[in-house]
Amino acid sequence: MYVGYNEMPLNSRVWIYQANRELKQNEVESISENLIDFLNTWQRHGDDLKASFLIKYNQFVIVVVDENFTNVSGCSIDASVKLFQQFENDFKVDFTNKMNISFKTNETINVVKLADFQQYAKENKITSETIVFNNMVASKEDFENKWEVEAQNSWHKRFLAL
């Protein structure tokens, strides 16, 4: 069942789907409508999942599940991934490539391949102060506090030239 993002507890589980480009407004609206429909019927072995989502910067879709209500299963996760694969087909955008890394330059969000990110770090185009998006966070609380951080405070720091 779909509920508002603010109704979700801080220990809710999150998945972050990063688009490889900024989504157009009509795409954001379509994704939002489809996600609400999906979350209203999303289940784990017949039990409703209490879930929500948030779209940030028209580029990141954050799906949130309250596992205090019902735990997510592999099948329910697969169903959500299939939905995002459908979005990829519908909008010619990449949501599921985990080898894409995102960071900010001023207010611009850049999405690059991991190898390019590593090269930028070697060239000091990305520094310890560069804002990166840590899409590996697992809870709503971590999303709110550790998702958009300086590279030195994320797993990205392993690529920095020291």
Side-chain angles (χ1 to χ4, degrees):
M1 80 185 83
Y2 171 74
V3 298
Y5 175 83
N6 291 332
E7 296 177 45
M8 302 298 287
L10 289 174
N11 67 342
S12 295
R13 191 166 168 189
V14 300
W15 289 267
I16 300 173
Y17 291 91
Q18 169 185 275
N20 63 330
R21 63 168 173 80
E22 185 174 352
L23 300 168
K24 299 173 189 150
Q25 189 57 39
N26 66 312
E27 294 170 330
V28 169
E29 290 168 7
S30 179
I31 288 169
S32 296
E33 290 170 14
N34 281 287
L35 266 171
I36 290 170
D37 290 344
F38 174 80
L39 297 179
N40 273 325
T41 60
W42 199 18
Q43 295 186 329
R44 176 194 172 258
H45 304 295
D47 296 325
D48 288 339
L49 293 169
K50 185 177 176 184
S52 192
F53 72 95
L54 188 64
I55 298 177
K56 295 281 287 185
Y57 303 116
N58 286 356
Q59 198 152 353
F60 302 89
V61 182
I62 298 87
V63 177
V64 187
V65 176
D66 180 357
E67 289 197 303
N68 297 321
F69 187 80
T70 305
N71 284 330
V72 179
S73 69
C75 294
S76 52
I77 294 169
D78 289 347
S80 67
V81 171
K82 285 180 184 173
L83 177 65
F84 278 87
Q85 289 171 335
Q86 184 62 52
F87 293 153
E88 289 179 325
N89 289 332
D90 292 347
F91 304 118
K92 307 298 182 245
V93 63
D94 186 354
F95 276 113
T96 56
N97 185 346
K98 301 298 183 197
M99 298 306 287
N100 286 338
I101 307 296
S102 54
F103 64 95
K104 273 187 174 177
T105 306
N106 299 317
E107 293 305 309
T108 301
I109 296 172
N110 304 282
V111 180
V112 298
K113 293 178 179 11
L114 177 59
D116 292 334
F117 184 88
Q118 291 171 308
Q119 186 60 39
Y120 294 159
K122 284 180 186 173
E123 297 169 357
N124 281 320
K125 293 178 182 176
I126 294 173
T127 68
S128 59
E129 291 83 30
T130 300
I131 300 298
V132 296
F133 296 90
N134 180 6
N135 295 330
M136 305 295 285
V137 296
S139 70
K140 179 183 173 187
E141 182 174 27
D142 283 349
F143 167 72
E144 291 180 356
N145 297 300
K146 298 177 182 175
W147 173 60
E148 190 174 340
V149 295
E150 290 183 346
Q152 64 189 345
N153 297 321
S154 177
W155 64 267
H156 301 81
K157 69 183 170 190
R158 73 180 89 173
F159 302 117
L160 300 176
L162 300 175

